[in-house]
Amino acid sequence: PAFTARMSRMAYQEFELSGSSLLGAHDSALPTEQTPAPTRRARQAFRLISGGIAAVGVLALLAVCSAILSGPPQAPLARLREGDDTRTFDESGRFIMRDFDRMKPMSSFLPGVAGLWGIPMWLFYVNRGQGVATFGIEDKNGGILMFQTAEKAYQVTPFNGFRTLLKVRRGEKTKEAQPFMPEQDYGKETTPRRDMFIGTNEMEIEEADPETGIRTNALYFTPPNEDFPALVRRVTFTNVGTETADVEVIDGLAKLEPHGTTFGQLTAMGRTIEGWMHVYNFDKDHTRPFFHLVTTPADTADVALVKAGHFVIGFIESEDNVGEDSGHELLDMICDQQLVFGSDTTLSVPRRFFGSASNSKGASVSDILKQPQSTTSRTPSAMAATSFSLAPGESKTMSIIYGHAPDLDAFLTDIAPQIVSKGYISRKRTEAQALTTELTDRVYMSSGVPLMDNYVKQNYLDNALRGGMPFEMGGGAGRKPKIYHAFSRIHGDLERDYNNFLLQQTYFSQGPGNFRDVNQNRRCDVLQLPSVHDFNVRQFLSYVQADGYNQLTVATAFFKINEPYLVREVASRLAAPGLGLELVRDLLAQPFRPGQLFKDMQDAGIKLMLPREELLELVTRYADQVPAGQYAQNGFWTDHFTYNLDLVKNFLAVYPDEKESMLWDSAPVPFFMSPGRVANREEKNMLADNEGTVRQYDAVFESPAKLAALSQMWGDPNYVGDKLAGAMWQRTKAGGVMTVPIISKLVLLAANKFAILDPLGMGVEMEAGKPGWNDAMNGLPGLFGSEMPSAFELHEIVDFVGEAVDEADRSVDVPEELSVLMEATSALLDKVAGGKMDDFEYWDKVHDALEDYRSATEVTFTGKTVAWPAEALGKRHGLFGKMHNRMDEGIKRALSFAKDPAKKVSPTYFRFTVKSYELVGYSARRQLPTVKVKAFEPEALPLFLEGPTRHLKTMKRHPKEDRAAVYQAVHNSTLHDNKLHMYKISESLAGQPFEVGRMMAFNPGWLENESVWMHMSYKWYLELLRAGLFAEFYKEIQTGVACFMDPKVFGRSPLEAASFIVSSAFPEEQLHGSGFLARLSGSTAEFLSMWNMMMFGETPFSVDKDGALQLTLMPAVASWMWREDGTITFKFLGAVDVTYVYPAKKDSWTASVASYELYASKEDTDPVRIDSGVVPAKEAAAVRDLKYEAITVTLE
């Protein structure tokens, strides 16, 4: 059943001013079992303020609803709530996971964002123990609490992580307790209540223990805008009993890994590495320990002292604990576990602190602190100890800060005084909360569905963590600003343990990411920040190689001031004459990254004459920005090229009037050069056994000729980068960098990919050793696999380029080597179309031409180009028209393999079995004969969702009924999980060979085998929206988008996506609907695309028949999304407040825009009014230039 209007307004209509709870007072209106499923889920999701909120009036209610994620800067600590509190979110907008350590295990993380001018710390948490499973600096090797994979973290976090040990005395009775430790349930009277509060940039846990009468809250956040990375653990103890409680507490890390260790050392030789461990600054004063290895443990001749280290410092936050220097008095730390746990090496029982047979009361805190502590040759602890009294209702807050410093002096002199200063913790928490609110303001929305509003913001944040968040720098003085992406990292975490994440320990922190991830997660950049302009288009097309493939890793971009006189001029404005100036010149003469530049200058002790913001603007203004890539692979992914057109189209959605100039006249782009070369067919097609089985192995190898050219390139003084990552641009024979216009690069991309269509002209071949988006099909390349999704995307590239050439009626210059391939392709297309050549012969000859082209461009281009006239190249009469026709035929042929009677659900993958071959050579590496294939037999694999999803994209000119028929066929297919009302990545793969890929090793319903892969299901929803199937789209997202899911089933916050959801194909029924692999998924990119399309349509800016710019907002808003007053507000272009006004509150796609009112400022009382559905050129350009702060759009 569809969402009802009541669902959208229940947060307002169902609130009674008598003080009854929101939703709760009306739950009896519809018995639970009779309530439609989506409505029940909506009620659960909207329990935002139920459970005893007094009559605060409608305005206060609206404020609370809108506070999710963007809540008040200083959120109150979670309080003990009496009775049955059924809220899903607290007053600060944090998701509440009730009885968290008894729920399904889940993992997540704090964003690791310290602001542009801060040093980040990573932290991963689970719903076990005290939450934090691991945290540290930079990567897995920098763990302060050792990195653990998820399955281990669920087990060891309660023991090895943060611990709280309490002795609570009331009168003559003393209770011992370990808050948050696993224990048996004995009933509400004796079992502590434990809740977890998950915020955007913090996490808090709470235990209310009826035995001790103590409520314990532990809050975690990372302080932003600091020159050091740190974690704040803020623990508050509240006496909820009726008598005064005397409390002794030991709190902190049971195990801390000193700096200098690596993840590999700790896991493989942990006992040995303890010999290097030492706690410094701990001989007399026990309040500021510093942890690091004595020396580097490598078994080499060069032995280096380790100076950098981790620190811990703690204090009670209270007015009476502040000295004359405005600093808090510090707590003594326990770094020797034995003083607390004695002989219990499991760290389960604090045998010395708690009572035992030998000492019924156990050692007191004061007694323990008097004991000598071991500081070497074992893994230390880092726990603060103190005692205090709590009157009934009184609280005490202990703050412990764990961090990292470059050396002991920096910690003692610069860092510690800041941390212990009065108000520091509260101030930094406010900053941390404000930071994520500010960063996500670009996608602000206020609708009748507050949960969706805030899901958009969480998606934007998580999307940026994988693709980077764009910021301007180096503009001014009439210069176009440069775009720098901060906060990105490869998506490694407790569950994605295969990825090595990296958070650079610099300002403007940015880590490397995978090409596919970064490309698609930057898809909407220009829609949220128009100054991004064509930056992403240019960067990712620069990565396209001569063969149409690209490297795996997108590294952090470099800057380079190329002119020596500019280096001298800029340096003279940064530092005074002397050694500092010379050092600055040396640094600026080399390629630099902004954050690293500041770190290098700081490490060199350079005194700067400019504030850091001005310095950054100055050095980047006069520097060229240079993208950097890294090969880092053993093959090339089939699908990577498919994401580039999305960047182009989103650019044109904002700058349609610059289409021709961007494609033909903007600065040309280079070609990335990797050491990898795609093997020819007779090098990689091998006889695998004596049964005649032919496989495609070792499809990519490192070319000696390319390696020699790269070595020469790395030695060039003008090269920007290093041997790992840099601007590895392919050269011409004359030695210059080969560049072409963007339109030429798109032609090259299309021509290369068209040449690797499979023998039946259907799918793009996996001929370079890697599959497409679904990389769990890793064995399919060996089976001569091809995929339709890449073919559908190639179809769109051919369509776009062909039409662009016809529209501009301009010739296109292409490298002469490519021209030869294109001429051969054109002649062969004529023959196969005319019946003079069969499909296999065409395939064979085209591949011959492609291999000749690859040989000609393996190391260099000649540098010469050939002009292809529009008549010869375009879609109307030229080569791209022939290619388009051939692909249309291939799509029809692929659909003939469809399983459904109407042939609507496209296959996704094919594999081709070799039926005839001849021996031609020998593979020394494999020690197998190589063959020339003479004949193939195709076979379609079972259904995958990606095929029909991408197919819909090609149906833009088909009648809507055709697109609806595809939707209905998919919905009726085995791709639809009828229990969960979601879409699976595939149907059953039973009967497929294990050679297909690792997915065959997984049980159905898990990982890439028949699970609900949220990225692909979200992409499916996006294509429904793009196809104009609005009702179908809104029906599906009610069960398929995270914010509408039942958190108890989903197993995590409904504001967070996951990579996959366990489908009903999995044998463990209790896991059906559970989400795994938190957050950093491509689903965030798909949802942002959905949101943009929902808010203003696919192409807000366009040109009229005369080429003049115009703005047309076309929202696709469902009736249940309107606010009570018939309005919705959102940020357009990341900066302009747009309010839609539609008193009828119906589906917006049934209405039309009647008028626009453009406000130069929010105080503007005389707006520009346009009584039309289209904003004309002058005003449209002003909107794009962000010269209007607000727009009111009236629908009728």
Side-chain angles (χ1 to χ4, degrees), residues 464-512:
L465 297 185
R466 200 167 82 146
M469 187 172 290
F471 294 94
E472 299 176 1
M473 60 175 61
R479 295 174 180 265
K480 181 180 175 181
K482 297 174 177 68
I483 301 299
Y484 191 85
H485 287 79
F487 312 140
S488 63
R489 77 292 304 262
I490 193 170
H491 56 317
D493 52 52
L494 304 186
E495 293 182 271
R496 299 180 184 91
D497 42 24
Y498 47 85
N499 273 339
N500 295 313
F501 60 87
L502 172 67
L503 275 69
Q504 290 177 334
Q505 297 294 286
T506 64
Y507 300 148
F508 290 84
S509 177
Q510 182 194 86

Side-chain angles (χ1 to χ4, degrees), residues 1104-1115:
D1104 63 18
K1105 58 183 177 59
D1106 298 318
L1109 184 69
Q1110 57 186 13
L1111 170 64
T1112 309
L1113 299 181
M1114 299 180 66

Side-chain angles (χ1 to χ4, degrees), residues 864-880:
K864 298 177 182 178
T865 60
V866 175
W868 275 65
E871 185 77 8
L873 183 62
K875 182 182 173 185
R876 192 178 298 123
H877 303 294
L879 172 59
F880 271 62

Side-chain angles (χ1 to χ4, degrees), residues 939-1120:
E939 177 187 338
L941 271 68
L943 293 181
F944 285 76
L945 183 59
E946 189 181 7
T949 295
R950 305 251 196 176
H951 181 211
L952 267 182
K953 210 170 184 180
T954 70
M955 299 179 68
K956 55 186 180 293
R957 299 188 185 94
H958 289 231
K960 183 177 178 181
E961 293 75 16
D962 289 355
R963 301 192 292 272
V966 171
Y967 160 73
Q968 198 60 52
V970 173
H971 184 272
N972 293 339
S973 76
T974 49
L975 290 171
H976 188 255
D977 190 317
N978 294 325
K979 176 181 178 180
L980 299 179
H981 303 288
M982 301 176 190
Y983 291 86
K984 298 180 291 184
I985 190 174
S986 71
E987 65 177 348
S988 172
L989 302 180
Q992 290 299 304
F994 280 91
E995 273 190 282
V996 166
R998 66 174 181 267
M999 65 187 338
M1000 297 304 301
F1002 307 142
N1003 200 89
W1006 189 260
L1007 287 170
E1008 289 98 335
N1009 188 341
E1010 208 182 343
S1011 72
V1012 176
W1013 207 264
M1014 292 191 75
H1015 183 184
M1016 190 47 61
S1017 61
Y1018 274 35
K1019 189 178 282 289
W1020 169 243
Y1021 305 144
L1022 171 62
E1023 293 310 322
L1024 297 182
L1025 187 59
R1026 197 195 310 273
L1029 304 176
F1030 301 125
E1032 294 85 347
F1033 166 77
Y1034 278 106
K1035 171 178 175 283
E1036 296 295 351
I1037 68 170
Q1038 292 168 20
T1039 54
V1041 168
C1043 63
F1044 297 121
M1045 294 179 188
D1046 183 346
K1048 290 184 179 179
V1049 176
F1050 189 39
R1052 61 180 62 251
S1053 167
L1055 298 182
E1056 299 177 356
S1059 277
F1060 79 94
I1061 293 173
V1062 179
S1063 76
S1064 60
F1066 196 67
E1068 293 184 46
E1069 188 171 351
Q1070 66 270 26
L1071 285 180
H1072 294 174
S1074 300
F1076 289 88
L1077 281 69
R1079 297 170 57 180
L1080 299 191
S1081 155
S1083 61
T1084 60
E1086 308 306 335
F1087 189 80
L1088 287 175
S1089 290
M1090 288 185 237
W1091 180 77
N1092 281 299
M1093 212 173 293
M1094 290 159 63
M1095 291 297 101
F1096 51 76
E1098 191 170 6
T1099 54
F1101 292 94
S1102 59
V1103 292
D1104 63 18
K1105 58 183 177 59
D1106 298 318
L1109 184 69
Q1110 57 186 13
L1111 170 64
T1112 309
L1113 299 181
M1114 299 180 66
V1117 172
S1119 59
W1120 47 266

Side-chain angles (χ1 to χ4, degrees), residues 1132-1195:
F1132 180 51
L1133 303 179
V1136 182
D1137 288 325
V1138 172
T1139 299
Y1140 290 123
V1141 179
Y1142 190 26
K1145 292 184 287 189
K1146 297 180 180 179
D1147 298 332
S1148 68
W1149 56 90
T1150 65
S1152 59
V1153 171
S1155 66
Y1156 296 84
E1157 291 180 336
L1158 313 179
Y1159 295 83
S1161 69
K1162 293 178 181 176
E1163 293 76 32
D1164 188 355
T1165 58
D1166 186 23
V1168 175
R1169 183 175 176 86
I1170 298 167
D1171 291 312
S1172 168
V1174 179
V1175 178
K1178 179 182 176 182
E1179 289 77 12
V1183 170
R1184 188 173 65 184
D1185 293 340
L1186 308 183
K1187 293 181 179 178
Y1188 291 105
E1189 283 192 17
I1191 303 175
T1192 298
V1193 184
T1194 302
L1195 280 69

